[in-house]
Amino acid sequence: MELQKGKGAAAPAASVAAGGGGGAGTGAPGGGRLLLSTSLDAKDELEERLERCMSIVTSMTTGVSEREANDALNAYVCKGPPQHEEICLGLFTLVLTEPAQAQKCYRDLALVSRDGMNIVLNKINQILMEKYLKLQDTCRTQLVWLVRELVKSGVLGADGVCMTFMKQIAGGDVTAKNIWLAESVLDILTEQREWVLKSSILIAMAVYTYLRLIVDHHGTAQLQALRQKEVDFCISLLRERFMECLMIGRDLVRLLQNVARIPEFELLWKDIIHNPQALSPQFTGILQLLQSRTSRKFLACRLTPDMETKLLFMTSRVRFGQQKRYQDWFQRQYLSTPDSQSLRCDLIRYICGVVHPSNEVLSSDILPRWAIIGWLLTTCTSNVAASNAKLALFYDWLFFSPDKDSIMNIEPAILVMHHSMKPHPAITATLLDFMCRIIPNFYPPLEGHVRQGVFSSLNHIVEKRVLAHLAPLFDNPKLDKELRAMLREKFPEFCSSPSPPVEVKIEEPVSMEMDNHMSDKDESCYDNAEAAFSDDEEDLNSKGKKREFRFHPIKETVVEEPVDITPYLDQLDESLRDKVLQLQKGSDTEAQCEVMQEIVDQVLEEDFDSEQLSVLASCLQELFKAHFRGEVLPEEITEESLEESVGKPLYLIFRNLCQMQEDNSSFSLLLDLLSELYQKQPKIGYHLLYYLRASKAAAGKMNLYESFAQATQLGDLHTCLMMDMKACQEDDVRLLCHLTPSIYTEFPDETLRSGELLNMIVAVIDSAQLQELVCHVMMGNLVMFRKDSVLNILNRCFFSAPTVQSLDWETFEQYCAWQLFLAHNIPLETIIPILQHLKYKEHPEALSCLLLQLRREKPSEEMVKMVLSRPCHPDDQFTTSILRHWCMKHEELLAEHIKSLLIKNNSLPRKRQSLRSSSSKLAQLTLEQILEHLDNLRLNLTNTKQNFFSQTPILQALQHVQASCDEAHKMKFSDLFSLAEEYEDSSTKPPKSRRKAALSSPRSRKNATQPPNAEEESGSSSASEEEDTKPKPTKRKRKGSSAVGSDSD
């Protein structure tokens, strides 16, 4: 049995036998528990549930034979989904906690699982994202073993688990456990290389991860050995699958720069710069990479879930001026060792490219991004680390394009320089100096492009009013004269102050590392067990040292004030006014709900003045602002948590709506109230969708949303639905994924007729959410493509959008869309016509996915026709590669289809062919196209043992074409037609030996030693032709016709 490798102290459970290796490591400390804990810790809910499921399985399998155990498990599983889940989770837990039984439990799990291991995959992802740091060492080892087995079995979704595993490998960390994890995942990817190559996303993510880790692994012999394995792995994927790696974007160049001195990468760099075609025919050069923005999925994958949680907590919950203890904690945890210097680049790239706060957060006193980046820059202790951190900060500036890139990616750098001018002038000076010097030094041949990128960035910053103007920054007296002169030389356009000068006023400058602590009244804001930092270091002497620091964006000063509904109260009736005031003073949710029900009842009274609806909506919108902040979906989704989440006072309007008949006048009145609310708070739309999806009271009432949409000013279901889903996408991606199945199910005409919603989804989901949606599709809960509309959607979304402004999807988004399509049971022939739109340089993602899917199919005549209808181009290998594959797998079937297509196209008059081609929008299959592709295939099969062109159908078809084509075609495809001439010559022999001769002559010709050059081959063909045709020069045409006319061969 295979042993899980552990390098010295690096393995968390050294030499633990993974998968039943003789009972080594028979359980985790603490009686087989999954998670590490102390006597003071409360029992973890997830652990309790898994142990409960494990006890169910154990009770059914203990003391009985293996067959009886299997029968018992299968009988229990058949009772229903809850029982199926219990058995799957029980066996999964046994795999993690009992290594000696792992192999047997995995086998049982594979037998009883009815959902393709979906339950297990989701639980692995949950443990990796939420519990990995608390996991027992034995369980960690077994988890790696289990993932290896899932990969070996080719379980759908295992690639998502591998990517989540890679996310747990921390950068800048060379502790034993982290090195063990990096090596274990690398071993899985290396051993199962063929499986890895099937997933383009996994290839790119693995290359990005291990290119980054190579920098950390140096010094000891163990680290050097691991480093070499990582180098070999990355180099092989980069050289063999460069187009898949190309989806990473410009950050691939940044990572390759860091490893450029390693000999293997040095050679790769030479090819990238001087011979890009050697890596891929579609790769035009380094500029192509640098102009492609890196998707946030890659930037996020280099932060562990714990780092990401803490960083998001700081940028969304911590007030500016009270961040010091959080920064201190983060530095002690992740940035305290010399090796952690390299992690700062990952953090800065993540903050710039992934953390994009909403306008609401930007206008609040929440800790701004520039302050965190400024703090990270001040903690760099080596010049190399500081230079790399500055490059990470300015990286999106160098090739910035306002059409493709976001202002949010470049905003932190300019604000760091602006706000550091007074408290930290040295930081501003070093960043400005770096910005000037990077232009000529980044890559001299592209200096003009870099200059234009930096200029576009600065111009966009001024246009968007991030800073009113740049002269106070570039021409500041605090900068030395040489730097100011260099700035005036490089950027004269931005160094002259407007007249009269406009001074950008900011509040009192604050040090990056504040000495202020949280006041007593604010401590509860951080009392959140899910995202809270350790409180061990809280300074008890902070009382009395209270000082308010508030950051406002430069463009506008917005101070969030207490809710004030006084202007609206005077416009309300006395009784309604009293109820609204009670609602404002309500201390708890239950009391507010009671008052809210009274307000709804009053609105539904016959004598209610409908003109007051607008005023009432304004009051409710102000009072319930908190409802529209933060996440709507509970962290753990259960029936109880969902029902609890829809118990908000505002949702009482939705509940009353669900209890009414649609033809009731009260129903219309509540819809009018919601319409007024919708005008003032657009988020109400997706909150209604969530209520209809989550509440038991709203079961089967999703059609109410359509009534709501028609009652709004938009008045159109499609427009309203798209706007609400867009708002949901921007606020809460988890909720978007949760709503997706019901939205597609309930509103198929609105969701399946265009790719707008599809684009919203794939633009924000991560690999785990993609896998979740794929599982929903395969379980029948979600249909995102229909047979009758899928071609139209793909055409409009990816390739030939009818509008001038195409959707311009990112590479990762396109791969997600293709993965979702492939999860549907739609015949490939349905979308085969799309091949005629695809261009090898512009649509590599679609071509790659179609190519991998076609190789699994048995070729039909329509498939072959569409493949052959692609234009011939020396760099486009699509048609040749799939034809070659079909030659190997379906030789006779392919030959029959090609024969049929050749004869059909040859029988059409040439004028009619050209007339048809010119009148049709789609590319039509022509005889010359087929012959060109066949000739390319013939050249590709040269020097192989493949006898495709020796088959009778192919030779008959070529003979038929040769007999009627013109001299130009005969000359152009002489080598191809020579095969038919040999067949024709051999067919003049007596009938008994005719078939034998037809097969043996060309075959012996293919297997014989190839002539040294094409001229000799052509010469021998001509000679034999001349010899055989002298006696009977007139019979060739008739013989060709008769051969084709008879199908007996």
Side-chain angles (χ1 to χ4, degrees):
M1 189 56 61
E2 181 184 5
L3 293 182
Q4 176 63 53
K5 288 188 286 186
K7 300 287 185 180
S15 301
V16 171
T26 55
R33 289 164 59 90
L34 283 165
L35 307 178
L36 293 167
S37 61
T38 66
S39 55
L40 299 176
D41 291 331
K43 185 78 171 178
D44 186 86
E45 289 183 12
L46 174 63
E47 186 178 20
E48 272 190 326
R49 185 175 181 221
L50 292 176
E51 288 181 350
R52 240 185 351 259
C53 295
M54 183 173 67
S55 65
I56 292 172
V57 172
T58 306
S59 66
M60 297 170 65
T61 56
T62 303
V64 297
S65 68
E66 190 169 333
R67 183 172 180 178
E68 289 172 333
N70 286 335
D71 291 343
L73 291 174
N74 278 307
Y76 193 77
V77 163
C78 291
K79 291 181 180 179
Q83 289 78 14
H84 171 252
E85 186 174 4
E86 286 174 352
I87 296 299
C88 288
L89 293 181
L91 290 168
F92 165 68
T93 311
L94 280 169
V95 169
L96 295 191
T97 57
E98 301 294 338
Q101 301 180 39
Q103 194 72 45
K104 176 183 177 300
C105 291
Y106 179 76
R107 188 174 66 247
D108 292 343
L109 185 58
L111 289 172
V112 302
S113 178
R114 305 293 171 87
D115 63 351
M117 297 279 195
N118 183 41
I119 290 171
V120 173
L121 290 171
N122 285 337
K123 202 54 64 178
I124 293 175
N125 272 323
Q126 183 184 355
I127 288 173
L128 285 174
M129 293 298 288
E130 300 172 10
K131 309 290 183 185
Y132 184 79
L133 294 179
K134 293 183 178 180
L135 208 58
Q136 294 275 11
D137 287 347
T138 301
C139 297
R140 290 190 187 190
T141 307
Q142 287 304 108
L143 198 57
V144 171
W145 177 85
L146 177 57
V147 171
R148 178 183 274 109
E149 293 302 308
L150 292 170
V151 171
K152 282 181 184 177
S153 305
V155 173
L156 185 66
D159 54 343
V161 172
C162 283
M163 287 187 271
T164 312
F165 239 129
M166 285 191 287
K167 186 175 173 65
Q168 273 293 356
I169 306 170
D173 181 359
V174 291
T175 57
K177 290 184 179 181
N178 197 57
I179 294 299
W180 170 82
L181 181 59
E183 188 164 16
S184 298
V185 176
L186 182 62
D187 287 342
I188 294 174
L189 298 176
T190 306
E191 291 164 10
Q192 305 299 323
R193 181 180 172 79
E194 290 302 314
W195 173 82
V196 172
L197 296 180
K198 294 176 184 176
S199 173
S200 302
I201 300 172
L202 182 58
I203 291 171
M205 203 69 80
V207 167
Y208 189 87
T209 299
Y210 281 99
L211 266 182
R212 164 64 188 86
L213 294 175
I214 287 171
V215 177
D216 297 332
H217 299 158
H218 57 85
T220 67
Q222 179 197 347
L223 289 177
Q224 290 288 3
L226 173 57
R227 177 178 182 149
Q228 190 56 49
K229 286 166 67 174
E230 292 168 339
V231 169
D232 295 340
F233 175 73
C234 292
I235 283 290
S236 65
L237 288 182
L238 283 164
R239 287 201 172 276
E240 293 175 29
R241 294 300 180 93
F242 191 77
M243 288 311 294
E244 280 86 345
C245 300
L246 202 66
M247 77 158 84
I248 296 172
R250 62 174 65 118
D251 275 79
L252 177 60
V253 177
R254 182 176 63 85
L255 295 182
L256 286 171
Q257 283 179 290
N258 294 335
V259 296
R261 300 202 176 190
I262 297 173
E264 292 89 341
F265 287 107
E266 197 171 351
L267 294 174
L268 180 70
W269 265 112
K270 288 179 180 177
D271 283 342
I272 291 174
I273 294 172
H274 302 297
N275 189 19
Q277 299 287 310
L279 297 172
S280 172
Q282 288 85 31
F283 182 48
T284 57
I286 195 168
L287 184 61
Q288 179 185 355
L289 254 179
L290 289 167
Q291 289 178 333
S292 173
R293 182 163 59 93
T294 298
S295 170
R296 59 179 60 190
K297 278 80 176 178
F298 295 105
L299 300 178
C301 81
R302 287 319 315 129
L303 267 65
T304 65
D306 189 59
M307 287 181 201
E308 196 170 8
T309 302
K310 298 302 191 287
L311 211 53
L312 290 174
F313 178 82
M314 281 200 282
T315 55
S316 63
R317 302 287 296 279
V318 177
R319 298 177 69 182
F320 187 39
Q322 298 174 346
Q323 71 267 33
K324 187 177 187 303
R325 72 190 189 105
Y326 301 99
Q327 291 175 349
D328 289 347
W329 183 96
F330 198 94
Q331 183 158 3
R332 275 194 304 275
Q333 189 77 5
Y334 297 115
L335 301 173
S336 58
T337 65
D339 298 297
S340 65
Q341 294 289 326
S342 60
L343 180 60
R344 287 163 175 77
C345 297
D346 300 333
L347 295 170
I348 291 171
R349 293 297 295 144
Y350 177 84
I351 293 168
C352 292
V354 180
V355 182
H356 291 176
S358 63
N359 289 331
E360 189 179 11
V361 173
L362 288 173
S363 60
S364 70
D365 59 354
I366 296 298
L367 180 65
R369 297 186 299 162
W370 62 262
I372 299 177
I373 290 175
W375 160 66
L376 289 172
L377 291 173
T378 60
T379 61
C380 290
T381 57
S382 79
N383 292 332
V384 174
S387 296
N388 288 337
K390 285 181 276 190
L391 181 62
L393 179 60
F394 282 104
Y395 206 62
D396 288 312
W397 288 52
L398 307 184
F399 294 88
F400 181 80
S401 169
D403 298 331
K404 296 179 182 179
D405 294 293
S406 169
I407 184 68
M408 298 298 284
N409 290 12
I410 60 174
E411 180 222 52
I414 198 72
L415 290 182
V416 169
M417 294 188 286
H418 175 77
H419 289 283
S420 301
M421 182 62 82
K422 289 185 180 179
H424 296 281
I427 288 182
T428 302
T430 189
L431 291 176
L432 287 172
D433 181 75
F434 183 87
M435 183 179 71
C436 292
R437 296 183 188 279
I438 196 67
I439 294 174
N441 294 314
F442 178 74
Y443 182 48
L446 295 181
E447 181 179 350
H449 289 86
V450 178
R451 186 184 305 279
Q452 181 58 43
V454 174
F455 180 84
S456 298
S457 301
L458 294 169
N459 207 38
H460 205 52
I461 283 165
V462 174
E463 283 178 5
K464 294 292 183 182
R465 307 289 292 173
V466 178
L467 292 185
H469 56 89
L470 300 174
L473 179 64
F474 285 6
D475 201 18
N476 196 293
K478 289 195 174 186
L479 304 176
D480 62 65
K481 292 182 179 179
E482 292 179 0
L483 178 55
R484 288 162 66 187
M486 185 162 59
L487 286 165
R488 278 195 295 270
E489 178 190 346
K490 300 280 187 186
F491 310 108
E493 305 89 344
F494 303 107
C495 290
S496 55
S497 296
S499 181
V502 179
E503 186 178 354
V504 181
K505 293 186 178 180
I506 60 172
E507 298 192 24
E508 182 178 350
V510 184
S511 170
M512 303 288 177
E513 298 182 7
M514 307 302 300
D515 288 329
N516 305 78
H517 302 278
M518 295 192 304
S519 60
D520 295 342
K521 66 176 181 179
D522 290 330
E523 286 191 4
S524 60
C525 296
Y526 310 103
D527 189 17
N528 185 327
E530 294 173 359
F533 283 68
S534 169
D535 287 328
D536 297 343
E537 294 79 29
E538 184 172 0
D539 189 351
L540 299 176
N541 298 321
S542 62
K543 296 180 181 179
K545 296 185 180 179
K546 290 189 279 188
R547 183 183 178 189
E548 282 290 321
F549 292 94
R550 187 177 293 271
F551 166 70
H552 304 293
I554 303 304
K555 54 186 176 182
E556 57 181 346
T557 302
V558 180
V559 180
E560 188 173 336
E561 297 177 353
V563 174
D564 182 14
I565 56 172
T566 308
Y568 306 113
L569 290 175
D570 296 334
Q571 303 174 50
L572 294 174
D573 289 342
E574 186 175 350
S575 58
L576 192 58
R577 185 190 312 141
D578 292 338
K579 289 183 174 63
V580 170
L581 285 170
Q582 286 180 45
L583 192 63
Q584 184 180 21
K585 296 173 183 175
S587 56
D588 58 18
T589 303
E590 190 174 345
Q592 285 185 321
C593 285
E594 291 176 4
V595 177
M596 189 67 203
Q597 184 61 53
E598 292 176 13
I599 291 174
V600 172
D601 291 340
Q602 185 165 341
V603 169
L604 298 179
E605 291 175 3
E606 291 182 0
D607 59 347
F608 180 77
D609 183 4
S610 59
E611 291 183 2
Q612 294 200 17
L613 286 177
S614 178
V615 182
L616 177 60
S618 298
C619 291
L620 295 177
Q621 185 266 331
E622 287 292 329
L623 290 174
F624 296 129
K625 273 185 178 178
H627 284 12
F628 302 105
R629 296 197 190 107
E631 293 186 349
V632 180
L633 198 64
E635 192 63 34
E636 185 173 354
I637 301 174
T638 62
E639 286 187 8
E640 293 77 18
S641 64
L642 287 175
E643 202 61 30
E644 185 180 345
S645 70
V646 295
K648 298 176 181 176
L650 190 63
Y651 286 2
L652 270 165
I653 303 174
F654 304 157
R655 185 186 302 172
N656 281 272
L657 202 63
C658 293
Q659 294 169 353
M660 294 177 180
Q661 298 295 327
E662 292 193 17
D663 55 354
N664 193 330
S665 59
S666 300
F667 182 86
S668 301
L669 204 58
L670 280 186
L671 282 181
D672 291 341
L673 176 60
L674 283 177
S675 177
E676 293 290 343
L677 266 170
Y678 190 68
Q679 289 182 49
K680 297 167 175 55
Q681 177 53 270
K683 295 181 182 182
I684 198 79
Y686 74 76
H687 278 260
L688 174 59
L689 284 169
Y690 173 66
Y691 179 85
L692 295 174
R693 168 80 170 82
S695 175
K696 291 179 182 177
K701 300 274 189 178
M702 189 63 83
N703 61 321
L704 287 178
Y705 179 81
E706 186 171 354
S707 303
F708 162 74
Q710 291 166 354
T712 64
Q713 285 192 339
L714 298 171
D716 174 56
L717 174 60
H718 180 77
T719 306
C720 193
L721 184 63
M722 292 304 114
M723 287 182 65
D724 291 342
M725 295 306 283
K726 182 64 178 173
C728 182
Q729 179 220 39
E730 293 171 354
D731 291 346
D732 193 345
V733 178
R734 285 182 67 240
L735 179 59
L736 178 73
C737 294
H738 182 72
L739 291 176
T740 294
S742 56
I743 296 302
Y744 271 93
T745 302
E746 298 294 335
F747 309 111
D749 293 334
E750 309 305 323
T751 53
L752 295 173
R753 74 184 187 189
S754 74
E756 191 177 349
L757 181 57
L758 178 64
N759 181 238
M760 285 184 210
I761 294 167
V762 299
V764 292
I765 59 174
D766 58 24
S767 54
Q769 289 160 337
L770 171 63
Q771 189 250 336
E772 183 182 344
L773 290 177
V774 167
C775 291
H776 276 304
V777 172
M778 297 192 69
M779 290 189 293
N781 302 332
L782 173 62
V783 177
M784 302 180 79
F785 298 94
R786 270 195 316 219
K787 188 176 178 181
D788 58 350
S789 61
V790 61
L791 188 59
N792 183 43
I793 289 176
L794 294 177
N795 265 322
R796 283 177 20 182
C797 291
F798 296 123
F799 316 116
S800 54
T803 57
V804 176
Q805 209 172 16
S806 65
L807 291 178
D808 192 26
W809 292 22
E810 288 186 7
T811 295
F812 186 85
E813 295 166 10
Q814 291 196 42
Y815 276 110
C816 286
W818 279 109
Q819 293 290 322
L820 290 168
F821 166 76
L822 295 176
H824 290 70
N825 192 24
I826 297 177
L828 194 61
E829 287 186 352
T830 308
I831 64 158
I832 276 294
I834 212 169
L835 274 175
Q836 301 185 61
H837 295 295
L838 300 176
K839 298 177 183 176
Y840 74 97
K841 281 189 176 179
E842 298 173 18
H843 311 120
E845 303 91 349
L847 283 171
S848 298
C849 291
L850 281 172
L851 186 62
L852 293 174
Q853 197 63 17
L854 278 170
R855 73 194 296 270
R856 299 182 184 138
E857 301 282 334
K858 184 183 289 187
S860 65
E861 185 171 331
E862 183 65 19
M863 282 184 191
V864 177
K865 179 182 176 182
M866 289 298 168
V867 166
L868 290 171
S869 68
R870 289 184 57 74
C872 283
H873 192 282
D875 295 331
D876 185 3
Q877 301 296 325
F878 182 95
T879 300
T880 305
S881 58
I882 190 60
L883 288 178
R884 189 181 195 280
H885 176 78
W886 281 339
C887 283
M888 305 295 180
K889 301 289 183 183
H890 310 285
E891 185 180 41
E892 295 179 1
L893 186 60
L894 180 62
E896 289 294 340
H897 290 329
I898 289 178
K899 173 187 173 181
S900 174
L901 291 170
L902 275 171
I903 293 173
K904 284 179 185 176
N905 281 270
N906 192 46
S907 63
L908 287 173
R910 296 291 180 269
K911 289 184 180 177
R912 186 178 163 192
Q913 254 189 1
S914 61
L915 187 65
R916 184 182 65 171
S917 300
S918 62
S919 63
S920 172
K921 290 183 180 178
L922 297 178
Q924 295 292 336
L925 181 61
T926 64
L927 180 63
E928 185 168 356
Q929 271 182 307
I930 301 177
L931 293 174
E932 283 183 338
H933 286 307
L934 286 178
D935 205 35
N936 287 339
L937 181 61
R938 179 187 64 80
L939 292 171
N940 187 267
L941 292 176
T942 304
N943 298 326
T944 69
K945 294 181 180 180
Q946 176 55 238
N947 300 313
F948 178 77
F949 285 95
S950 66
Q951 295 181 92
T952 301
I954 292 291
L955 298 172
Q956 287 178 338
L958 288 175
Q959 183 183 8
H960 182 272
V961 172
Q962 186 186 24
S964 59
C965 72
D966 54 29
E967 290 300 321
H969 282 86
K970 287 181 182 177
M971 288 291 293
K972 184 175 181 180
F973 304 107
S974 58
D975 289 344
L976 196 60
F977 287 135
S978 67
L979 304 174
E981 289 168 1
E982 289 186 22
Y983 170 74
E984 180 185 26
D985 296 339
S986 63
S987 66
T988 60
K989 296 184 179 180
K992 285 185 179 179
S993 61
R994 177 178 176 180
R995 181 174 181 85
K996 181 179 178 183
L999 292 174
S1000 63
S1001 178
R1003 188 166 300 186
S1004 62
R1005 179 180 179 275
K1006 294 292 281 185
N1007 290 338
T1009 304
Q1010 295 294 323
N1013 55 49
E1015 290 178 6
E1016 283 187 38
E1017 186 179 351
S1018 173
S1020 69
S1021 299
S1022 306
S1024 81
E1025 178 186 352
E1026 194 176 337
E1027 183 181 340
D1028 288 328
T1029 52
K1030 277 181 183 178
K1032 300 177 183 177
T1034 60
K1035 287 190 177 180
R1036 180 174 297 171
K1037 229 175 211 179
R1038 287 199 300 275
K1039 191 175 285 287
S1041 303
S1042 64
V1044 173
S1046 170
D1047 286 334
S1048 61
D1049 288 333

